Amino acid sequence: MEAPPYSSEGAEYPDSMLSRKFGREVVNYFSGSPLNRVSFLRSNTSFLRAALPASRFLLLRGLDPLASSKTNLGWVKYDSVSSLIGKPYDLDEEKTIEAFDSRVSAPTLIFLGLDEKATDSTFEYSGAGGNYKGQPFFALDVSPKEGELKEKLEKVAEEAVKEPGYEFRKVRIDLSLVPGDAAILAHARSLMDWNSRNQFCAACGGRTISVHAGTKRTCPPFDKAFQKSPNDASFERPPCVSRKGVHNIAFPRTDPTVIMAILNAAGTHLLLGRQRRWPPNFYSTLAGFCEPAESLEEAVRRETWEESGVRVGRVVIHSTQPWPYPNNLMIGAVGEALPDGEKIELNHDPELQDAQWFPIEKVKAALEAPQNGLHDAPPEGYKEGDLRLPPATAIAHQLMLAVANGFHLPSSEVAATAAKI
Ligand SMILES: [Zn+2]
């Protein structure tokens, strides 16, 4: 079964003063998670201990998630994973760090949040902060590994795919999941990838330990592996700059990326480009990483000029999209070229094979035709030579759609434009 085409009109919020001025919120694919992350409970080991047996676990094998179908993730219960995860929250966080032993391995376990709308969960927790109810969810790494966990990891992964239809999905960029599951996967995948790349401290090279239920890592000051006997004093690791001041914890990385629909000064054409390795006639909006100490608006102007030679004036932020490959935040903007800055020059940065000004009417027609991803064969009904654009699950599509619907026009003209579609 295929998921229905993605619609960004998922915002539950009522019509309001801000929505009347700026339009309805665009909920991009990979955002809009059904889970409440309750991030303040991640270091509360009493909560985590209580939640574990009532939880559902998303298994990831080399970042491929367990799925029950083409459109849905597959979940396993605590009984299936308890022997692998052991008792990770028996000690409070401070004691866990003190008891660090670099010989002991543990699979990465990440608390994702509570689904407060789940009807089949009775889990509830009352603590200092209040009462929290809902189905708890975790992500668990079951990638093959040598060492003491090898057999347990293999067993959990093998048992999980015995359920009919269950498999670890090997999809390069997964755009087929229903939106809620896509958002959960984005969250789990980005954090799992970050954990796997930060097993060692960036400052001293020593092993790090997962804290805050898989959402932070720290460089422990002691290591029991070097204690000759259990009665000896704790073995102190060499001093590490990461243990000083406020930067004593490694936080997950999110890479801000700007992606922009650039209009010509008259508002009649859109600037789109293509990379050499893309399929023929496939174009998209320009994009690039935001650099340190650069505003998003400046990043839009710099990247557009470097890649296309076009000089951009005013820039307006439209919407944003988490992109878990591996951990980008796509920040979507609409910008306009300066009247004397519209000339396309590709010689600065060789990233694009081509960039062109496309009439908005042509972009609109291409958006009305079926689209699919970069790695798919052209959609059914595609005529050779037609413009191909990214599907609705990509923020690039939503930016082009916004412009086709008159995002840049005074509100009196928007109604007239929308009526023509
Ligand atoms: Zn360190």
Side-chain angles (χ1 to χ4, degrees):
M1 194 185 74
E2 300 272 332
Y6 184 70
S7 163
S8 66
E9 291 164 5
E12 301 160 12
Y13 307 107
D15 192 31
S16 67
M17 58 185 180
L18 287 179
S19 72
R20 283 190 290 278
K21 181 162 172 63
F22 296 104
R24 304 287 286 194
E25 187 165 312
V26 171
V27 180
N28 285 303
Y29 195 69
F30 290 129
S31 69
S33 172
L35 304 187
N36 181 345
R37 298 188 184 205
V38 284
S39 64
F40 49 86
L41 292 176
R42 291 171 186 156
S43 55
N44 181 335
T45 42
S46 143
F47 163 77
L48 295 169
R49 266 198 310 276
L52 264 188
S55 292
R56 296 276 186 278
F57 296 81
L58 173 64
L59 308 182
L60 289 117
R61 199 165 199 248
L63 299 179
D64 298 331
L66 183 69
S68 62
S69 69
K70 194 163 183 250
T71 53
N72 289 87
L73 296 172
W75 299 90
V76 301
K77 293 184 178 172
Y78 178 65
D79 289 350
S80 313
V81 299
S82 58
S83 71
L84 171 63
I85 59 182
K87 297 189 182 306
Y89 307 124
D90 270 11
L91 297 178
D92 71 26
E93 203 151 77
E94 209 177 307
K95 293 259 171 3
T96 305
I97 296 169
E98 274 174 28
F100 174 68
D101 184 334
S102 59
R103 292 165 300 187
V104 178
S105 34
T108 303
L109 180 63
I110 300 164
F111 175 62
L112 299 174
L114 295 173
D115 182 355
E116 294 162 315
K117 293 195 177 129
T119 50
D120 55 350
S121 170
T122 55
F123 175 75
E124 92 179 81
Y125 175 82
S126 288
N131 179 264
Y132 307 98
K133 287 183 197 168
Q135 171 68 64
F137 286 96
F138 280 82
L140 175 65
D141 184 24
V142 294
S143 304
K145 228 177 250 152
E146 291 304 319
E148 58 179 310
L149 292 178
K150 185 176 192 293
E151 280 165 22
K152 285 180 179 170
L153 287 165
E154 276 168 10
K155 186 155 180 271
V156 170
E158 277 167 20
E159 291 293 322
V161 294
K162 283 186 182 161
E163 267 317 293
Y166 277 56
E167 60 170 351
F168 288 97
R169 285 161 70 93
K170 287 194 177 302
V171 182
R172 199 165 156 215
I173 291 182
D174 203 338
L175 302 174
S176 306
L177 291 168
V178 293
D181 280 12
I184 294 173
L185 172 64
H187 179 190
R189 193 186 192 285
S190 291
L191 276 172
M192 198 62 87
D193 184 68
W194 171 78
N195 270 283
S196 70
R197 289 172 196 270
N198 289 273
Q199 300 283 312
F200 295 91
C201 175
C204 75
R207 273 201 175 276
T208 55
I209 183 172
S210 167
V211 291
H212 287 228
T215 60
K216 292 176 189 171
R217 299 192 72 89
T218 191
C219 177
F222 307 107
D223 188 347
K224 290 211 179 298
F226 297 100
Q227 236 166 286
K228 289 208 173 62
S229 105
N231 302 326
D232 287 356
S234 300
F235 179 88
E236 212 165 327
R237 304 212 295 182
C240 173
V241 67
S242 84
R243 294 188 208 118
K244 293 206 184 80
V246 292
H247 290 123
N248 57 353
I249 280 180
F251 291 87
R253 176 172 147 182
T254 296
D255 298 338
T257 308
V258 289
I259 177 160
M260 46 276 184
I262 302 298
L263 288 149
N264 63 342
T268 57
H269 287 64
L270 256 181
L271 178 67
L272 303 179
R274 56 170 276 109
Q275 294 180 15
R276 204 158 268 109
R277 58 196 164 86
W278 290 3
N281 306 304
F282 200 111
Y283 280 78
S284 186
T285 54
L286 273 49
F289 286 112
C290 181
E291 299 206 336
E294 185 176 51
S295 74
L296 298 171
E297 292 85 347
E298 287 167 327
V300 166
R301 283 189 278 270
R302 177 182 56 76
E303 282 287 342
T304 305
W305 176 77
E306 286 178 4
E307 291 186 3
S308 72
V310 171
R311 289 190 295 119
V312 173
R314 178 78 163 104
V315 171
V316 174
I317 304 299
H318 171 265
S319 65
T320 59
Q321 177 176 43
W323 191 254
Y325 300 99
N327 47 20
N328 297 70
L329 179 64
M330 310 288 284
I331 296 145
V334 175
E336 58 191 9
L338 294 167
D340 60 353
E342 293 175 356
K343 187 160 179 264
I344 292 175
E345 285 180 61
L346 300 174
N347 51 315
H348 304 298
D349 179 342
E351 188 166 325
L352 296 181
Q353 182 197 42
D354 186 33
Q356 289 181 36
W357 288 108
F358 287 88
I360 290 178
E361 292 303 315
K362 189 172 176 179
V363 175
K364 200 186 282 184
L367 289 171
E368 284 164 5
Q371 302 93 21
N372 54 10
L374 262 181
H375 307 290
D376 302 320
E380 219 170 294
Y382 174 78
K383 281 211 308 292
E384 204 56 50
D386 279 359
L387 178 61
R388 278 185 72 188
L389 298 174
T393 41
I395 190 172
H397 180 110
Q398 299 297 335
L399 292 170
M400 288 186 268
L401 190 63
V403 171
N405 284 336
F407 181 83
H408 54 298
L409 299 174
S411 46
S412 57
E413 289 175 49
V414 174
T417 310
K420 279 190 272 169
I421 290 177

